[in-house]
Amino acid sequence: LAELDSRQAIGELGPQTTVDWLRTHTRISAAAADNQLTVARQYDELQPSLEKVEEGAISFESLQVIARSVKELPQEATESAQAELLAAAESPKCEPQQLRRLGDEIKHRDDPSGWARSALRQHEKRSLRLFNLQDGMVGIEGSLPGPEGHKFRLCLESLVGIPPKGDKRTPEQRSADALIELCSRQIASGKLPKQGGRSPQLTVIMKTDGTSELEGYGPISAGTLKRLRGQDHVERRQVVDGCGVTLNLSLIHI
């Protein structure tokens, strides 16, 4: 792979990147290709770690963590950092996540200016995109800097809590429900900034023929209406006539 990457550097494989070439010809994911390439580009420097992989003393996943941890360190700090990470990786109790955290501590200690640049890059790469799926669902895609991502995870974990006995939801469904609950609590708090003089809220129009419509979205089923009412904490019920004149307004805590 290191040899292939050197050939790609002079354009021998065409305009595609080495990662793209690997994805096309070996059918692995972009993340897996990038991990392997990170190791390959440091093949000579990582010989002590590679030997431990061949011996079965550490996993290839640990090798990838070590490679990412030392790749941006100053030359004079690389050897000692690799030795420190290797010693930790050989412990049966050391998980990749713990090894990754140790790598961060080493980078912060041995290259504080580089660590600051890395944190700034993360901040600049932050993104969140919402998009409509063909089946009417809303897709979410994005990435957050480490500390903000940790904050987000803490919020979800506090709402997920300990699943009750018999809970058949998947972990992904529990996380989705926690995010929905987080949004419901914020809307119910009344502290969100107003848009066009109006506080963010869900408005459901219930017609006399029994159908319901969510403002800004469209028709919803009776089951969806019941689920939405179960998620919200405050309900304002407004009855209007055919001309839109309010006949009755009440506040209900649910």
Coordinates of all heavy atoms in Angstrom, one line a residue, residues 127-215:
S127 N -20.2 20.4 11.4 CA -21.3 20.5 10.4 C -22.5 19.8 10.9 O -22.4 18.8 11.7 CB -20.9 20.0 9.1 OG -20.6 18.6 9.2
L128 N -23.7 20.2 10.5 CA -24.9 19.5 10.7 C -25.9 19.8 9.6 O -26.1 20.9 9.2 CB -25.6 20.0 12.0 CG -26.9 19.2 12.4 CD1 -26.6 17.8 12.7 CD2 -27.5 19.9 13.7
R129 N -26.4 18.7 9.0 CA -27.3 18.8 7.8 C -28.5 18.0 8.0 O -28.5 16.9 8.4 CB -26.5 18.3 6.6 CG -27.3 18.6 5.3 CD -26.4 18.3 4.1 NE -26.1 16.9 3.9 CZ -26.9 16.1 3.1 NH1 -27.9 16.5 2.4 NH2 -26.5 14.8 3.0
L130 N -29.7 18.7 7.8 CA -31.0 18.0 7.8 C -31.5 17.9 6.4 O -31.4 18.9 5.7 CB -32.0 18.8 8.7 CG -31.5 19.1 10.2 CD1 -32.7 19.8 10.9 CD2 -31.2 17.8 10.9
F131 N -32.0 16.8 6.1 CA -32.5 16.7 4.7 C -33.8 15.7 4.7 O -33.9 14.8 5.6 CB -31.5 16.1 3.8 CG -30.8 14.9 4.3 CD1 -31.2 13.6 3.9 CD2 -29.7 15.0 5.1 CE1 -30.5 12.5 4.4 CE2 -29.0 13.9 5.6 CZ -29.4 12.6 5.2
N132 N -34.6 16.0 3.8 CA -35.9 15.2 3.7 C -35.6 13.9 2.9 O -35.0 13.9 1.8 CB -37.0 16.0 3.0 CG -37.4 17.2 3.8 OD1 -37.4 17.1 5.0 ND2 -37.7 18.3 3.1
L133 N -36.1 12.8 3.4 CA -36.0 11.5 2.7 C -37.3 11.2 1.9 O -38.3 11.9 2.2 CB -35.8 10.4 3.8 CG -34.5 10.5 4.6 CD1 -34.5 9.4 5.7 CD2 -33.3 10.4 3.7
Q134 N -37.2 10.3 1.0 CA -38.3 10.1 0.1 C -39.5 9.6 0.8 O -40.7 9.8 0.4 CB -37.9 9.2 -1.0 CG -36.9 9.8 -2.0 CD -36.6 8.9 -3.2 OE1 -37.1 7.8 -3.2 NE2 -35.9 9.4 -4.2
D135 N -39.3 8.9 1.9 CA -40.5 8.3 2.7 C -41.1 9.3 3.7 O -42.0 8.9 4.4 CB -40.1 7.0 3.4 CG -39.0 7.2 4.4 OD1 -38.5 8.4 4.5 OD2 -38.5 6.3 5.0
G136 N -40.6 10.5 3.7 CA -41.2 11.5 4.6 C -40.4 11.7 5.8 O -40.7 12.7 6.6
M137 N -39.4 10.9 6.1 CA -38.6 11.0 7.3 C -37.6 12.1 7.1 O -37.4 12.6 6.0 CB -37.9 9.7 7.7 CG -38.9 8.6 8.1 SD -38.0 7.1 8.7 CE -37.5 7.6 10.3
V138 N -36.9 12.6 8.2 CA -35.9 13.6 8.1 C -34.6 12.9 8.4 O -34.4 12.3 9.5 CB -36.2 14.7 9.1 CG1 -35.0 15.7 9.0 CG2 -37.5 15.4 8.7
G139 N -33.6 13.1 7.5 CA -32.3 12.5 7.8 C -31.4 13.5 8.5 O -31.6 14.7 8.3
I140 N -30.4 13.0 9.2 CA -29.5 13.9 10.0 C -28.1 13.4 9.7 O -27.8 12.2 9.8 CB -29.7 13.8 11.5 CG1 -31.2 14.2 11.8 CG2 -28.8 14.7 12.2 CD1 -31.5 14.1 13.3
E141 N -27.2 14.3 9.3 CA -25.8 14.0 9.1 C -24.9 15.1 9.6 O -25.2 16.3 9.4 CB -25.6 13.8 7.5 CG -24.2 13.5 7.1 CD -24.1 13.4 5.6 OE1 -24.0 14.4 5.0 OE2 -24.1 12.2 5.1
G142 N -23.9 14.7 10.3 CA -23.0 15.8 10.8 C -21.9 15.3 11.6 O -21.7 14.1 11.8
S143 N -21.1 16.2 12.1 CA -20.0 15.9 13.0 C -19.7 17.1 13.9 O -19.9 18.2 13.5 CB -18.7 15.5 12.2 OG -18.3 16.6 11.3
L144 N -19.3 16.8 15.1 CA -19.1 17.9 16.1 C -17.7 17.8 16.6 O -17.1 16.7 16.7 CB -20.1 17.7 17.3 CG -21.6 17.9 17.0 CD1 -22.4 17.6 18.2 CD2 -21.9 19.3 16.5
P145 N -17.1 18.9 17.0 CA -15.8 18.8 17.7 C -15.9 18.0 19.0 O -17.0 17.9 19.6 CB -15.5 20.3 18.1 CG -16.3 21.1 17.1 CD -17.6 20.3 16.9
G146 N -14.8 17.4 19.4 CA -14.8 16.5 20.5 C -15.6 17.0 21.8 O -16.5 16.3 22.2
P147 N -15.2 18.1 22.3 CA -15.9 18.6 23.6 C -17.4 18.8 23.4 O -18.2 18.4 24.2 CB -15.2 19.9 23.9 CG -13.8 19.7 23.3 CD -14.1 19.0 22.0
E148 N -17.8 19.4 22.2 CA -19.2 19.7 22.0 C -19.9 18.3 21.7 O -21.1 18.2 22.1 CB -19.4 20.6 20.8 CG -19.0 22.1 21.1 CD -17.5 22.3 21.1 OE1 -16.8 21.4 20.8 OE2 -17.2 23.5 21.5
G149 N -19.2 17.4 21.1 CA -19.8 16.1 20.9 C -20.1 15.4 22.2 O -21.1 14.7 22.4
H150 N -19.1 15.6 23.1 CA -19.2 15.0 24.4 C -20.4 15.6 25.2 O -21.2 14.9 25.8 CB -18.0 15.2 25.2 CG -18.0 14.6 26.6 ND1 -18.1 13.2 26.8 CD2 -17.9 15.1 27.8 CE1 -18.1 13.0 28.1 NE2 -18.0 14.1 28.7
K151 N -20.6 16.9 25.0 CA -21.7 17.6 25.6 C -23.1 17.0 25.1 O -24.0 16.7 25.9 CB -21.7 19.1 25.4 CG -22.8 19.9 26.0 CD -22.9 21.3 25.4 CE -21.6 22.1 25.6 NZ -21.8 23.5 25.1
F152 N -23.1 16.8 23.8 CA -24.3 16.3 23.1 C -24.6 14.9 23.6 O -25.7 14.5 23.9 CB -24.1 16.3 21.6 CG -25.3 15.8 20.8 CD1 -26.5 16.4 21.0 CD2 -25.1 14.8 20.0 CE1 -27.6 15.9 20.2 CE2 -26.2 14.3 19.2 CZ -27.4 14.9 19.4
R153 N -23.5 14.1 23.7 CA -23.7 12.7 24.2 C -24.2 12.6 25.6 O -25.1 11.8 25.9 CB -22.4 11.9 24.1 CG -22.5 10.5 24.5 CD -21.1 9.7 24.3 NE -20.9 9.5 22.9 CZ -19.8 10.0 22.2 NH1 -19.0 10.9 22.8 NH2 -19.6 9.7 21.0
L154 N -23.7 13.5 26.5 CA -24.2 13.6 27.8 C -25.7 13.9 27.9 O -26.4 13.3 28.7 CB -23.4 14.6 28.6 CG -21.9 14.3 29.0 CD1 -21.3 15.5 29.7 CD2 -21.9 13.1 29.9
C155 N -26.1 14.8 27.1 CA -27.5 15.2 27.1 C -28.4 13.9 26.7 O -29.4 13.6 27.4 CB -27.8 16.3 26.1 SG -27.2 17.9 26.6
L156 N -28.0 13.2 25.7 CA -28.7 12.1 25.2 C -28.7 11.0 26.3 O -29.7 10.3 26.5 CB -28.2 11.6 23.9 CG -28.4 12.5 22.7 CD1 -28.0 11.7 21.4 CD2 -29.8 13.0 22.6
E157 N -27.5 10.7 26.8 CA -27.4 9.6 27.8 C -28.3 9.9 29.0 O -28.8 9.0 29.6 CB -25.9 9.5 28.2 CG -25.1 8.8 27.1 CD -23.6 8.8 27.5 OE1 -23.2 9.4 28.5 OE2 -22.8 8.1 26.7
S158 N -28.4 11.2 29.4 CA -29.2 11.5 30.6 C -30.6 11.2 30.3 O -31.4 10.8 31.3 CB -29.0 12.9 31.0 OG -29.6 13.8 30.1
L159 N -31.1 11.4 29.1 CA -32.5 11.2 28.8 C -32.8 9.7 28.4 O -33.9 9.2 28.7 CB -32.9 12.0 27.6 CG -32.9 13.5 27.9 CD1 -33.1 14.3 26.6 CD2 -34.0 13.9 28.8
V160 N -31.8 9.0 27.9 CA -31.9 7.6 27.7 C -32.0 6.8 29.0 O -32.9 6.0 29.2 CB -30.7 7.0 26.8 CG1 -30.8 5.5 26.8 CG2 -30.7 7.5 25.4
G161 N -31.2 7.1 29.9 CA -31.2 6.5 31.2 C -31.0 5.0 31.1 O -30.4 4.5 30.2
I162 N -31.5 4.3 32.1 CA -31.5 2.8 32.1 C -32.8 2.3 31.5 O -33.9 2.5 32.0 CB -31.3 2.3 33.5 CG1 -30.0 2.8 34.2 CG2 -31.4 0.7 33.5 CD1 -29.9 2.4 35.6
P163 N -32.7 1.6 30.3 CA -33.9 1.1 29.7 C -34.7 0.2 30.6 O -34.2 -0.6 31.3 CB -33.4 0.3 28.5 CG -32.0 0.8 28.3 CD -31.5 1.2 29.6
P164 N -36.0 0.4 30.7 CA -36.9 -0.4 31.5 C -36.9 -1.9 31.1 O -36.6 -2.2 29.9 CB -38.3 0.2 31.4 CG -38.2 0.9 30.0 CD -36.8 1.4 29.9
K165 N -37.2 -2.8 32.0 CA -37.2 -4.2 31.6 C -38.2 -4.4 30.6 O -39.4 -3.9 30.6 CB -37.6 -5.0 32.9 CG -37.5 -6.5 32.7 CD -37.8 -7.2 34.0 CE -37.6 -8.7 33.8 NZ -37.9 -9.5 35.1
G166 N -37.8 -5.2 29.6 CA -38.7 -5.5 28.5 C -38.7 -4.5 27.3 O -39.5 -4.6 26.4
D167 N -37.9 -3.5 27.4 CA -37.7 -2.4 26.4 C -37.2 -3.1 25.1 O -36.1 -3.6 25.1 CB -36.8 -1.3 26.9 CG -36.8 -0.1 25.9 OD1 -37.3 -0.2 24.8 OD2 -36.3 1.0 26.3
K168 N -38.0 -3.1 24.1 CA -37.6 -3.7 22.8 C -36.9 -2.8 21.8 O -36.6 -3.2 20.7 CB -38.8 -4.4 22.2 CG -39.3 -5.5 23.1 CD -40.5 -6.2 22.3 CE -41.1 -7.4 23.2 NZ -42.2 -8.0 22.5
R169 N -36.7 -1.5 22.2 CA -36.1 -0.6 21.3 C -34.6 -0.9 21.1 O -34.0 -1.3 22.1 CB -36.3 0.9 21.8 CG -37.7 1.4 21.9 CD -37.7 2.8 22.6 NE -37.2 2.7 23.9 CZ -36.9 3.8 24.6 NH1 -37.0 5.0 24.1 NH2 -36.4 3.6 25.9
T170 N -34.1 -0.6 19.9 CA -32.7 -0.8 19.7 C -32.0 0.4 20.3 O -32.6 1.5 20.6 CB -32.4 -0.8 18.2 OG1 -32.7 0.5 17.6 CG2 -33.2 -1.9 17.5
P171 N -30.6 0.4 20.5 CA -29.9 1.5 21.1 C -30.1 2.7 20.2 O -30.1 3.9 20.7 CB -28.4 1.0 21.1 CG -28.5 -0.5 21.2 CD -29.8 -0.9 20.5
E172 N -30.1 2.5 18.9 CA -30.3 3.7 17.9 C -31.7 4.3 18.1 O -31.8 5.5 18.1 CB -30.1 3.2 16.5 CG -28.7 2.8 16.1 CD -28.3 1.4 16.6 OE1 -29.2 0.7 17.1 OE2 -27.1 1.1 16.6
Q173 N -32.7 3.5 18.4 CA -34.0 4.0 18.6 C -34.1 4.8 19.9 O -34.8 5.8 20.0 CB -35.1 2.9 18.6 CG -35.3 2.3 17.2 CD -36.2 1.1 17.2 OE1 -36.2 0.3 18.1 NE2 -37.0 0.9 16.1
R174 N -33.4 4.3 20.9 CA -33.4 5.0 22.2 C -32.7 6.3 22.1 O -33.2 7.3 22.7 CB -32.7 4.1 23.3 CG -33.6 2.9 23.7 CD -33.1 2.3 25.0 NE -31.7 1.7 24.9 CZ -31.5 0.4 24.6 NH1 -32.6 -0.4 24.4 NH2 -30.3 -0.1 24.5
S175 N -31.6 6.4 21.3 CA -31.0 7.6 21.1 C -31.8 8.6 20.3 O -31.9 9.8 20.6 CB -29.6 7.4 20.3 OG -28.7 6.7 21.1
A176 N -32.6 8.1 19.3 CA -33.5 9.0 18.6 C -34.6 9.5 19.5 O -34.9 10.7 19.4 CB -34.1 8.2 17.4
D177 N -35.1 8.7 20.3 CA -36.2 9.1 21.2 C -35.6 10.1 22.2 O -36.3 11.1 22.6 CB -36.7 7.9 22.0 CG -37.6 7.0 21.1 OD1 -38.0 7.4 20.0 OD2 -37.8 5.8 21.5
A178 N -34.4 10.0 22.6 CA -33.8 11.0 23.5 C -33.6 12.3 22.9 O -33.8 13.4 23.5 CB -32.4 10.4 24.0
L179 N -33.2 12.3 21.6 CA -33.1 13.6 20.9 C -34.4 14.2 20.7 O -34.6 15.5 20.8 CB -32.5 13.3 19.5 CG -32.3 14.5 18.6 CD1 -31.5 15.6 19.2 CD2 -31.7 14.1 17.2
I180 N -35.5 13.4 20.4 CA -36.8 14.0 20.3 C -37.3 14.6 21.6 O -37.9 15.7 21.7 CB -37.8 12.9 19.9 CG1 -37.5 12.5 18.4 CG2 -39.3 13.3 20.0 CD1 -38.2 11.2 18.0
E181 N -37.0 13.9 22.7 CA -37.3 14.4 24.1 C -36.6 15.7 24.4 O -37.1 16.6 25.0 CB -37.0 13.4 25.1 CG -37.2 13.8 26.5 CD -38.6 14.1 26.9 OE1 -39.6 13.7 26.2 OE2 -38.9 14.6 28.0
L182 N -35.3 15.8 24.0 CA -34.5 17.0 24.2 C -35.2 18.2 23.5 O -35.3 19.3 24.0 CB -33.1 16.8 23.7 CG -32.1 17.9 24.0 CD1 -31.9 18.1 25.5 CD2 -30.7 17.5 23.3
C183 N -35.6 18.0 22.2 CA -36.2 19.0 21.5 C -37.6 19.4 22.1 O -37.9 20.6 22.2 CB -36.5 18.6 20.0 SG -34.9 18.4 19.1
S184 N -38.3 18.4 22.6 CA -39.6 18.7 23.2 C -39.5 19.6 24.4 O -40.2 20.5 24.7 CB -40.3 17.4 23.5 OG -40.7 16.7 22.4
R185 N -38.4 19.2 25.2 CA -38.2 20.0 26.5 C -37.8 21.4 26.2 O -38.2 22.4 26.9 CB -37.1 19.3 27.3 CG -37.6 18.0 27.9 CD -36.6 17.4 28.9 NE -37.0 16.1 29.4 CZ -36.7 15.7 30.6 NH1 -35.9 16.4 31.4 NH2 -37.1 14.5 31.0
Q186 N -37.0 21.6 25.1 CA -36.6 23.0 24.8 C -37.8 23.8 24.3 O -37.9 25.0 24.6 CB -35.5 22.9 23.7 CG -34.1 22.7 24.3 CD -33.7 23.8 25.2 OE1 -33.7 23.7 26.4 NE2 -33.3 24.9 24.6
I187 N -38.6 23.2 23.4 CA -39.8 23.9 22.9 C -40.7 24.2 24.1 O -41.3 25.4 24.2 CB -40.5 23.1 21.8 CG1 -39.7 23.1 20.5 CG2 -41.9 23.6 21.6 CD1 -40.3 22.3 19.4
A188 N -40.9 23.3 25.0 CA -41.8 23.5 26.1 C -41.3 24.6 27.1 O -42.1 25.2 27.8 CB -42.1 22.2 26.9
S189 N -40.0 24.7 27.1 CA -39.4 25.7 28.1 C -39.8 27.1 27.7 O -39.8 28.0 28.6 CB -37.9 25.6 28.1 OG -37.3 26.1 26.9
G190 N -40.1 27.4 26.5 CA -40.4 28.8 26.0 C -39.2 29.7 26.0 O -39.3 30.9 25.8
K191 N -38.0 29.1 26.1 CA -36.8 29.9 26.1 C -36.1 30.0 24.7 O -35.0 30.7 24.6 CB -35.8 29.4 27.1 CG -36.3 29.4 28.6 CD -35.3 28.9 29.6 CE -35.9 29.0 31.0 NZ -34.9 28.4 32.0
L192 N -36.6 29.3 23.7 CA -35.9 29.4 22.4 C -36.2 30.7 21.8 O -37.3 31.3 22.0 CB -36.5 28.2 21.5 CG -36.0 26.8 21.9 CD1 -36.8 25.8 21.0 CD2 -34.5 26.7 21.7
P193 N -35.3 31.2 21.0 CA -35.5 32.5 20.3 C -36.7 32.5 19.4 O -37.0 31.5 18.8 CB -34.2 32.7 19.5 CG -33.2 31.9 20.2 CD -33.9 30.7 20.7
K194 N -37.5 33.6 19.4 CA -38.7 33.6 18.5 C -38.3 33.8 17.1 O -37.3 34.4 16.7 CB -39.6 34.8 19.0 CG -40.2 34.6 20.4 CD -41.1 35.7 20.7 CE -41.8 35.5 22.1 NZ -42.7 36.5 22.5
Q195 N -39.1 33.3 16.2 CA -39.0 33.5 14.7 C -40.2 34.2 14.2 O -41.3 33.7 14.3 CB -38.8 32.2 14.0 CG -37.5 31.4 14.4 CD -37.4 30.1 13.7 OE1 -38.3 29.3 13.6 NE2 -36.2 29.9 13.1
G196 N -40.0 35.4 13.7 CA -41.1 36.2 13.2 C -42.0 36.6 14.3 O -43.3 36.7 14.1
G197 N -41.5 36.8 15.5 CA -42.4 37.1 16.7 C -43.1 36.0 17.3 O -43.9 36.2 18.2
R198 N -42.8 34.8 16.8 CA -43.5 33.6 17.3 C -42.6 32.6 17.9 O -41.5 32.3 17.3 CB -44.3 33.0 16.1 CG -45.1 31.7 16.5 CD -45.8 31.2 15.2 NE -46.5 30.0 15.5 CZ -47.1 29.3 14.5 NH1 -47.0 29.7 13.3 NH2 -47.7 28.2 14.8
S199 N -42.9 32.0 19.1 CA -42.1 31.0 19.7 C -42.2 29.7 18.9 O -43.3 29.4 18.4 CB -42.5 30.8 21.1 OG -42.3 31.9 21.9
P200 N -41.1 28.9 18.8 CA -41.2 27.7 18.1 C -42.2 26.7 18.7 O -42.2 26.6 20.0 CB -39.7 27.1 18.2 CG -38.9 28.3 18.4 CD -39.7 29.2 19.2
Q201 N -43.1 26.2 17.9 CA -44.1 25.3 18.5 C -44.6 24.4 17.4 O -44.6 24.8 16.2 CB -45.2 26.1 19.2 CG -45.9 27.0 18.2 CD -47.0 27.8 18.9 OE1 -47.0 28.0 20.1 NE2 -47.9 28.4 18.1
L202 N -45.2 23.3 17.8 CA -45.9 22.4 16.8 C -47.3 22.8 16.8 O -48.0 22.9 17.8 CB -45.8 20.9 17.2 CG -44.4 20.2 17.1 CD1 -44.5 18.8 17.5 CD2 -43.9 20.3 15.7
T203 N -47.8 23.1 15.6 CA -49.2 23.4 15.4 C -49.9 22.4 14.6 O -49.6 22.1 13.5 CB -49.4 24.8 14.7 OG1 -48.7 25.8 15.5 CG2 -50.9 25.2 14.6
V204 N -50.9 21.7 15.2 CA -51.7 20.7 14.6 C -53.1 21.2 14.3 O -53.8 21.6 15.2 CB -51.7 19.4 15.4 CG1 -52.6 18.3 14.7 CG2 -50.3 18.8 15.6
I205 N -53.5 21.1 13.1 CA -54.9 21.5 12.7 C -55.8 20.3 12.7 O -55.5 19.4 11.8 CB -54.9 22.2 11.4 CG1 -54.0 23.5 11.4 CG2 -56.4 22.6 11.0 CD1 -53.8 24.1 10.1
M206 N -56.7 20.2 13.6 CA -57.6 19.0 13.6 C -59.0 19.4 13.0 O -59.7 20.3 13.5 CB -57.8 18.5 15.1 CG -56.5 18.1 15.7 SD -56.7 17.6 17.5 CE -57.8 16.3 17.3
K207 N -59.3 18.8 11.9 CA -60.6 19.2 11.2 C -61.8 18.4 11.7 O -61.6 17.4 12.3 CB -60.3 19.0 9.7 CG -59.1 19.8 9.2 CD -59.0 19.6 7.7 CE -57.7 20.4 7.2 NZ -57.5 20.2 5.7
T208 N -62.9 19.0 11.4 CA -64.1 18.3 11.9 C -64.4 17.0 11.2 O -65.2 16.2 11.7 CB -65.4 19.3 11.6 OG1 -65.4 19.6 10.2 CG2 -65.3 20.5 12.4
D209 N -63.7 16.7 10.1 CA -63.9 15.4 9.4 C -63.0 14.3 10.0 O -63.0 13.2 9.5 CB -63.7 15.5 7.9 CG -62.2 16.0 7.6 OD1 -61.4 16.1 8.5 OD2 -61.9 16.2 6.4
G210 N -62.3 14.7 11.1 CA -61.4 13.7 11.8 C -60.0 13.7 11.3 O -59.2 13.0 11.9
T211 N -59.6 14.4 10.2 CA -58.2 14.4 9.8 C -57.4 15.5 10.5 O -58.0 16.4 11.1 CB -58.2 14.7 8.2 OG1 -58.8 16.0 8.0 CG2 -59.0 13.6 7.5
S212 N -56.1 15.3 10.5 CA -55.2 16.2 11.2 C -54.1 16.6 10.2 O -53.7 15.8 9.3 CB -54.6 15.6 12.4 OG -55.7 15.2 13.3
E213 N -53.6 17.8 10.4 CA -52.5 18.3 9.6 C -51.5 19.1 10.5 O -51.9 19.9 11.3 CB -53.0 19.2 8.5 CG -52.0 19.8 7.6 CD -52.6 20.6 6.5 OE1 -53.6 20.2 5.9 OE2 -52.1 21.7 6.2
L214 N -50.2 18.8 10.3 CA -49.2 19.4 11.1 C -48.7 20.6 10.2 O -48.2 20.5 9.1 CB -48.0 18.5 11.3 CG -46.8 19.0 12.1 CD1 -47.2 19.5 13.5 CD2 -45.7 18.0 12.2
E215 N -48.8 21.8 10.8 CA -48.4 23.0 10.1 C -46.9 22.9 9.7 O -46.0 22.6 10.5 CB -48.6 24.2 11.0 CG -48.4 25.6 10.3 CD -48.7 26.7 11.2 OE1 -47.9 26.9 12.2 OE2 -49.7 27.4 11.0

